[in-house]
């Protein structure tokens, strides 16, 4: 269950807080609706619950706040607005990337796609999806890790009636199996029709917390408020008049002098009071606390009499007889609950709605059957369990609810390859990295040809296409850009927003990004030199394609520069939350820091690190295998250079700042 206690957002400039001291509960096995008009604070309340926005109060998910849950995606499935993914990524690729982040098998993506009816669109780009398909994909992302709780912000917004009915029945099936569902809506009729409990917000404050039956009776239906000192006598007269005219009129005695009359009008009540000489102090139309927006439906909703409810009652009775004749099927879930044969919620109480229909207000199953133990594989028995009895209709049919995804078992310990798999799928899922690398290779080859044509360029700089006029070669800028994109994409398209704050700040993910950025930079460095040498050989012959004699130290410097630029881009983008800031930090190292470091190193009192490998060899008193002293000397020379020193200093500063902000956020 969900327990929200004292949710209060930070105050705004000269305005009250968007959410002020809101407390409510959403029980397991039930659908809870957070109702309110636009600006009532529904989305802010959800963001406070999910710790995506700063404020006061705390929310417990089955007894634990979100920051105390090791893997929040396995406990809470979230859908806030549109699916936060890169528009160029495919539907299946996006789900497989989230599978790696949540630590679930990659086949889970295909299972949830089948459930939400997106199998035919699995290779479609996210940017090309319609509103309805985007909602289906959002539900698939929420169900991916088999969570116990679903938190959805207006999931039916912009959907057709057919798609809304499908979505609501899916959520009802999740609740019927023991899960917790919390959704927001601005439509009171939808809340009464879908939810078991309705929590109403107005102006950021809690207005009412009611069962759906009470909400439909007292807050949704139009009524006439009457105040009279003869309330008992008037109530009896109204009831007698209703029986005489065979009208469905309900009279509720709310206080000593106040009556709420449902199914009548001010004119009829006033005429009865006048005819019998009853003094009336107040006679006014009311529609609960829903505001004037629903007054347009007042004349239609008042025509809900007993005769109009007869077809709805007959339809529900026929459905109950059909469900009673269908044998139930046991569904294995890790919530240890059961579902009916067609995965619909348990039989529900009915309450008349303003438009004359019966609103189904379902309650959780009172005697759940013992469920099967969850298994990792999907053998014949598990496949039979995941199928409903009889023929299955398409998932998009609103008259049939497809099976929920089968249960999965996830390793409790976080594996070291989990963030690495996520980062690899994130980087390979879009063509940005490949296009950037291709552009870097083309620009480097053309630059090398032009530099050879002009002349006066040292041979090592010619091989890496590094003009003296530029602070960095094109390959180093490309490596820094790829590193900045690695974290910049997380902020621009926060696929993991509901997992750990605005952007995940886990050190495992940072290590994975640094590792992938290093590998990408090394591959780009080798390809750049290879392409430049090949182009120079084809254009000018073998003279310019010769390998320098000191290739070892030059290679170490080149590799160190590429990896350092990539790391600077990753750390700066993660620290400043922007791809542009990450690339700016890469350019700032040679432009600003290198001159400062060079000026310091050229001072009269500065000592150098000359002879460092020889002294280290004397201290260790052992022979270097495979000429190891050469590698140590090359690394020492790289660090001793102004560029190497400035890059090392920048990386240390950025890493310290990133760790400081990460630990400070966790302490908060």
């Amino acid at each position: 269950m969900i327990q929200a206690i004292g949710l209060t957002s930070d105050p705004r400039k000269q305005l009250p807080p968007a959410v002020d001291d809101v407390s409510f509960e959403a029980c397991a096995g039930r659908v809870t609706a957070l109702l309110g008009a636009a600006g009532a604070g529904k989305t802010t309340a959800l963001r406070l619950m999910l710790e995506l926005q700063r404020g006061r109060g705390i929310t417990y998910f089955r007894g634990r706040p979100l920051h105390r849950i090791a893997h929040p995606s396995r406990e809470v499935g979230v859908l806030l607005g549109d699916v936060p993914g890169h528009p160029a990524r495919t539907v299946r690729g996006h789900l497989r990337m989230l599978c790696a982040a949540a630590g679930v098998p990659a086949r889970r993506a295909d299972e949830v796609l089948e459930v939400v009816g997106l199998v035919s669109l699995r290779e479609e780009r996210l940017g090309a999806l319609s509103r309805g398909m985007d909602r289906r994909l959002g539900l698939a992302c929420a169900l991916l890790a088999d969570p116990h709780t679903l938190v959805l912000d207006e999931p039916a917004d912009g959907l057709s009636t057919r798609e809304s009915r499908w979505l609501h029945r899916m959520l009802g099936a999740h609740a019927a199996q023991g899960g917790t569902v919390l959704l927001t809506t601005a439509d009171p009729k939808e809340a009464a029709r879908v939810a078991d409990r309705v929590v109403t917000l107005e102006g950021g404050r809690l207005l009412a917390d009611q069962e759906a039956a009470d909400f439909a009776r007292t807050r949704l239906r139009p009524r006439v408020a009457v105040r009279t000192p003869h309330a008992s006598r008037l109530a009896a007269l109204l009831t007698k008049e209703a029986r005489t005219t065979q009208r469905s009129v309900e009279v509720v005695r709310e206080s000593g002098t106040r009556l709420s009359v449902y199914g009548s009008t001010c004119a009829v009540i006033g005429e009865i009071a006048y005819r019998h000489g009853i003094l009336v102090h107040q006679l006014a139309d009311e529609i609960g606390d829903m505001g004037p927006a629903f007054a347009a439906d007042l004349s239609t909703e008042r025509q809900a009499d007993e005769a109009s409810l007869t077809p709805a009652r007959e339809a529900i009775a026929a459905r109950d007889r059909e469900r009673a004749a269908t044998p139930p099927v046991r569904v294995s879930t890790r919530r240890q609950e059961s579902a009916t044969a067609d995965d619909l919620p348990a039989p529900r109480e009915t309450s008349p709605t303003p438009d004359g229909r019966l609103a189904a207000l379902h309650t959780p199953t009172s005697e759940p059957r013992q469920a099967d133990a969850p298994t990792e594989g999907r053998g014949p028995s598990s496949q039979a369990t995941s199928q409903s009895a009889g023929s299955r209709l398409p998932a998009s049919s609103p008259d049939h609810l497809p099976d929920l995804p089968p249960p999965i078992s996830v390793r409790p310990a976080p594996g070291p390859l989990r963030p690495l798999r996520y980062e690899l799928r994130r980087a390979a899922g879009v063509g940005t990295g490949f296009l950037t690398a291709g552009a870097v290779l083309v620009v480097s080859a053309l630059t090398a040809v032009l530099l050879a044509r002009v002349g006066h360029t040292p041979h090592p700089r010619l091989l890496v296409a590094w003009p003296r006029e530029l602070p960095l070669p094109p390959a180093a800028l490309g490596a820094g850009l790829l590193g900045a994109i690695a974290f910049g994409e997380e902020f621009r398209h926060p696929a993991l927003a509901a997992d750990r704050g605005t952007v995940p700040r886990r050190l495992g993910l940072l290590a994975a990004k640094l590792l992938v950025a290093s590998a990408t930079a090394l591959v780009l460095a080798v390809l750049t030199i290879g392409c430049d040498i090949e182009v120079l050989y084809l254009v000018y012959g073998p003279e310019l394609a010769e390998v320098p004699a000191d290739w070892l130290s030059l290679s170490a410097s080149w590799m160190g520069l590429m990896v350092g630029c990539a790391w600077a881009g990753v750390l700066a983008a993660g620290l400043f939350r922007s791809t542009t800031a990450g690339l700016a930090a890469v350019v700032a190292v040679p432009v600003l820091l290198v001159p400062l470091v060079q000026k310091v190193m050229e001072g009269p009192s500065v000592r150098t690190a000359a002879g460092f490998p020889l002294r280290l060899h004397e201290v260790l008193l052992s022979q270097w295998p495979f000429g190891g002293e050469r590698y140590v000397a090359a690394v020492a020379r790289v660090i001793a250079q102004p560029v190497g020193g400035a890059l090392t200093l920048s990386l240390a500063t950025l890493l310290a700042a990133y760790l400081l902000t990460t630990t400070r956020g966790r302490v908060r």
Side-chain angles (χ1 to χ4, degrees):
M1 65 180 300
I2 303 176
Q3 295 173 298
I5 304 173
L7 298 179
T8 304
S9 61
D10 289 343
R12 300 165 291 178
K13 294 182 178 179
Q14 299 179 351
L15 292 174
V19 174
D20 188 6
D21 195 19
V22 172
S23 302
F24 63 91
E25 291 185 358
C27 299
R30 313 189 74 188
V31 178
T32 303
L34 201 60
L35 176 66
K42 305 184 301 295
T43 303
T44 304
L46 293 188
R47 294 183 64 85
L48 288 172
M49 295 169 59
L50 298 171
E51 302 178 2
L52 302 179
Q53 182 172 331
R54 297 183 61 182
R56 298 185 299 276
I58 191 169
T59 303
Y60 294 100
F61 297 90
R62 291 204 291 181
R64 293 178 297 171
L66 194 66
H67 62 272
R68 295 294 185 184
I69 301 175
H71 301 284
S73 59
R74 302 180 196 166
E75 176 65 29
V76 185
V78 179
L79 174 59
L80 300 177
D82 297 334
V83 176
H86 198 288
R89 201 180 304 277
T90 63
V91 171
R92 188 168 183 263
H94 181 74
L95 289 176
R96 286 173 62 89
M97 181 185 70
L98 296 182
C99 284
V104 301
R107 68 173 183 273
R108 182 70 173 179
D110 298 324
E111 294 174 356
V112 295
L113 283 177
E114 182 180 358
V115 168
V116 300
L118 290 180
V119 176
S120 60
L121 300 178
R122 58 184 176 183
E123 299 302 328
E124 193 75 21
R125 306 291 178 180
L126 298 185
L129 294 179
S130 64
R131 178 67 174 175
M133 296 302 103
D134 185 84
R135 294 284 90 183
R136 290 175 180 258
L137 178 59
L139 182 60
C141 296
L143 295 172
L144 197 62
D146 194 17
H148 176 273
T149 303
L150 293 179
V151 178
L152 314 172
D153 185 18
E154 298 193 7
D157 182 29
L159 299 185
S160 63
T161 304
R162 184 186 185 94
E163 293 172 331
S164 299
R165 187 161 63 248
W166 172 87
L167 176 64
H168 294 154
R169 299 178 78 180
M170 176 71 76
L171 299 180
H174 181 85
Q177 294 188 9
T180 304
V181 178
L182 175 64
L183 59 91
T184 65
T185 179
D187 186 1
K189 296 181 181 179
E190 178 187 1
R193 185 169 54 250
V194 175
D196 298 296
R197 192 167 189 86
V198 180
V199 180
T200 308
L201 297 181
E202 182 177 342
R205 289 182 172 271
L206 182 65
L207 190 62
D209 187 353
Q210 301 170 291
E211 292 292 330
D214 296 334
F215 170 80
R217 181 180 63 84
T218 62
R219 299 179 62 80
L220 183 60
R221 294 168 56 195
R223 63 179 181 263
V224 177
V226 184
R227 289 188 182 274
T228 173
H230 310 286
S232 300
R233 182 184 173 198
L234 181 58
L237 290 173
L238 292 175
T239 304
K240 180 180 178 180
E241 184 74 17
R243 285 197 302 265
T244 303
T245 58
Q246 295 183 354
R247 292 180 54 84
S248 177
V249 177
E250 180 183 1
V251 181
V252 179
R253 183 80 174 268
E254 296 188 355
S255 64
T257 61
R258 177 182 169 88
L259 296 176
S260 292
V261 184
Y262 299 90
S264 186
T265 62
C266 291
V268 173
I269 298 173
E271 182 181 351
I272 294 174
Y274 175 78
R275 204 165 52 232
H276 294 84
I278 297 176
L279 178 64
V280 176
H281 292 164
Q282 180 187 10
L283 190 63
D285 290 324
E286 290 185 357
I287 314 179
D289 297 299
M290 296 297 100
F294 304 96
D297 299 332
L298 185 59
S299 59
T300 303
E301 292 174 346
R302 283 178 173 169
Q303 300 174 0
D305 54 3
E306 194 70 21
S308 65
L309 297 177
T310 303
R313 288 198 179 103
E314 293 178 353
I316 292 178
R319 184 198 65 182
D320 293 340
R321 288 194 298 269
E322 180 182 355
R323 292 176 57 186
T326 305
V329 177
R330 298 178 69 188
V331 179
S332 170
T333 67
R334 67 183 179 91
R335 290 181 289 272
Q336 299 296 313
E337 294 289 343
S338 59
T340 56
D342 54 354
D343 284 339
L344 286 174
R348 307 192 284 183
E349 300 176 359
T350 58
S351 175
T353 56
D355 55 358
R357 296 188 298 271
L358 287 180
L361 308 171
H362 59 268
T363 56
T365 305
S366 59
E367 295 181 359
R369 297 184 299 271
Q370 183 64 28
D372 300 332
T375 55
E376 177 70 21
R378 297 192 63 193
S381 61
S382 62
Q383 292 180 2
T385 301
S386 64
Q387 299 287 339
S388 297
S391 60
R392 296 186 61 187
L393 298 175
S396 60
S397 175
D399 300 325
H400 176 81
L401 183 67
D403 297 330
L404 289 174
I408 55 174
S409 60
V410 187
R411 294 187 303 271
L417 296 180
R418 184 173 303 161
L420 184 59
R421 290 195 190 100
Y422 165 79
E423 181 60 22
L424 289 174
R425 290 174 182 170
R426 184 208 60 80
V430 294
T432 304
F434 301 102
L435 293 177
T436 302
V440 166
L441 295 179
V442 172
V443 172
S444 296
L446 294 178
T447 304
V449 171
L450 292 178
L451 290 178
R453 178 71 176 177
V454 175
H456 308 292
T457 302
H459 190 232
R461 280 181 169 264
L462 184 62
L463 295 181
V464 298
W466 189 353
R468 294 180 179 272
E469 294 79 11
L470 295 180
L472 288 174
L477 289 175
L481 177 60
L482 291 177
I485 291 175
F487 246 131
E489 184 178 310
E490 301 284 3
F491 292 95
R492 189 175 181 183
H493 308 288
L496 301 180
D499 189 69
R500 285 289 188 187
T502 306
V503 166
R505 288 276 188 180
R506 290 170 291 179
L507 297 182
L509 185 61
L510 174 63
K513 290 186 180 296
L514 293 178
L515 182 60
V516 173
S518 302
T520 304
L522 292 177
V523 171
L524 187 61
V526 174
L527 290 178
T528 300
I529 295 179
C531 290
D532 293 347
I533 291 177
E534 188 67 24
V535 171
L536 291 175
Y537 175 80
L538 293 176
V539 177
Y540 298 109
E543 296 181 0
L544 296 179
E546 296 180 355
V547 178
D550 55 345
W551 64 271
L552 182 61
S553 60
L554 293 176
S555 299
S557 301
W558 176 242
M559 299 294 181
L561 177 64
M562 293 289 288
V563 173
C565 290
W567 282 21
V570 171
L571 294 172
L575 181 62
F576 299 108
R577 304 180 174 228
S578 171
T579 302
T580 305
L583 185 60
V586 174
V587 178
V589 172
V591 174
L592 300 178
L593 291 179
V594 169
L596 296 178
V597 174
Q598 189 172 9
K599 184 176 181 180
V600 171
M601 295 180 64
E602 292 177 353
S605 60
V606 175
R607 296 182 179 272
T608 62
F612 171 75
L614 181 60
R615 292 193 296 270
L616 185 61
H617 172 66
E618 293 176 353
V619 171
L620 295 178
L621 299 177
S622 61
Q623 296 293 330
W624 291 93
F626 307 106
E629 62 273 4
R630 293 182 300 170
Y631 301 98
V632 177
V635 172
R637 282 196 296 269
V638 169
I639 298 177
Q641 294 176 358
V643 177
L647 196 56
T648 304
L649 180 62
S650 301
L651 292 178
T653 304
L654 289 173
L655 181 60
Y658 183 90
L659 294 178
L660 178 62
T661 56
T662 301
T663 54
R664 184 180 61 180
R666 289 184 178 180
V667 169
R668 286 179 179 174

